[in-house]
Amino acid sequence: QKEVEQNSGPLSVPEGAIASLNCTYSDRGSQSFFWYRQYSGKSPELIMSIYSNGDKEDGRFTAQLNKASQYVSLLIRDSQPSDSATYLCAVRRVQAGTALIFGKGTTLSVSS
Amino acid sequence: SQTIHQWPATLVQPVGSPLSLECTVEGTSNPNLYWYRQAAGRGLQLLFYSVGIGQISSEVPQNLSASRPQDRQFILSSKKLLLSDSGFYLCAWSPGGPTYEQYFGPGTRLTVT
C-alpha cells in the first residue's frame, strides 16, 4: 500500500464549479497534512495546511481532515482556469522526523 | 520575509560528469533543508534532509551526496552522473516544529545526455 495516495486525474470541472480533490494515507500516526499546487514546469507552492480533524477554510480553498478514516481533501470553490494545475497532498509522519511524504498529485483542469 | 534561491535554473550534463547544485535561504536562521527530485511523470522523491550544519540524512542510497557547509546553504553533488539522474531538483526549507510547513525553491531542471 502506498503511503499517500491520490487519484492522478485529470479532474475536469467547468469554471465556477466546486473541485474536490482527495487523498488517503496509510500511517495512522500521521500528524500534519498539506496541500501544494504545482503549475507545469514550476515548483510546488504551499496553499493549505491542516493539523486537526474538521474543516479549515482560506478564501476559496477548504481543507478537510478525517483522521479516523485517514483521508484529507481539498475543495476549491468557484474554480477558475488559473486553478488548473497539479495538486500534491503531503503528510508528515512522526517517525519520519521533519520529512514529508508526497502523493503523486491530481491534475485539475478548469474549463472556461 | 524568507526567500529561497537555487542555481542553476537549467543544466545539461553528459553521463559521467560531476554535478553541483546549490540552494541558499535568506531571512531565517537554522532552517531544516531538503533536496527532492521529481522525475518526469513521477512524484516528489526526498533525497536528503538536514536539521543543522554538517547534519545530513539520506533517504535514498544512490550516487548523489549532500552537504551543508553553512547554516543557510545546502549543496547537492555527484561525482559521476547517470542518465537516471535527469529530473527536476527541488530544494525546500522548513522552520521546523510545530507546523513543519515546507517551502520550495524555483528548482533546477537537469538533463543528463
Side-chain angles (χ1 to χ4, degrees):
Chain A
Q1 182 183 8
K2 296 179 182 177
E3 295 196 62
V4 180
E5 293 202 59
Q6 298 181 253
N7 188 325
S8 62
L11 173 65
S12 298
V13 301
E15 184 175 357
I18 296 175
S20 178
L21 305 162
N22 299 312
C23 170
T24 59
Y25 58 94
S26 60
D27 189 341
R28 285 192 173 274
S30 299
Q31 296 292 316
S32 310
F33 307 86
F34 308 91
W35 284 99
Y36 287 81
R37 176 176 62 198
Q38 186 175 24
Y39 292 113
S40 180
K42 301 296 184 181
S43 61
E45 173 192 10
L46 178 66
I47 55 173
M48 289 288 287
S49 57
I50 187 166
Y51 306 100
S52 55
N53 281 327
D55 295 359
K56 179 181 178 182
E57 186 175 321
D58 184 1
R60 296 187 295 113
F61 299 98
T62 299
Q64 300 174 319
L65 175 61
N66 184 322
K67 289 186 177 181
S69 300
Q70 295 175 240
Y71 84 79
V72 57
S73 62
L74 179 70
L75 300 178
I76 306 175
R77 292 182 300 280
D78 188 24
S79 296
Q80 301 296 310
S82 58
D83 295 325
S84 297
T86 296
Y87 289 81
L88 305 174
C89 173
V91 173
R92 175 183 168 257
R93 296 181 293 116
V94 174
Q95 299 91 326
T98 69
L100 301 183
I101 309 299
F102 283 81
K104 291 188 176 182
T106 298
T107 299
L108 171 67
S109 177
V110 181
S111 56
S112 57
Chain B
S1 64
Q2 298 83 15
T3 307
I4 179 168
H5 303 279
Q6 285 187 247
W7 62 90
T10 60
L11 192 59
V12 180
Q13 292 283 91
V15 169
S17 63
L19 173 73
S20 181
L21 303 180
E22 190 166 342
C23 169
T24 59
V25 182
E26 295 177 354
T28 187
S29 59
N30 197 31
N32 295 328
L33 297 172
Y34 310 84
W35 278 112
Y36 291 88
R37 178 172 60 201
Q38 189 174 40
R42 300 180 64 180
L44 279 168
Q45 178 187 31
L46 179 64
L47 302 175
F48 301 94
Y49 70 92
S50 172
V51 298
I53 296 175
Q55 301 178 59
I56 308 294
S57 296
S58 174
E59 288 293 306
V60 183
Q62 51 201 343
N63 68 318
L64 300 173
S65 63
S67 63
R68 185 171 178 173
Q70 300 180 39
D71 181 45
R72 291 169 288 178
Q73 183 184 31
F74 206 20
I75 296 172
L76 182 70
S77 304
S78 175
K79 292 182 179 179
K80 288 186 177 182
L81 284 169
L82 307 173
L83 283 175
S84 58
D85 291 324
S86 293
F88 192 33
Y89 286 81
L90 292 155
C91 181
W93 76 274
S94 167
T99 62
Y100 298 99
E101 297 176 345
Q102 289 186 17
Y103 302 92
F104 287 86
T108 294
R109 193 163 301 280
L110 171 66
T111 303
V112 182
T113 60

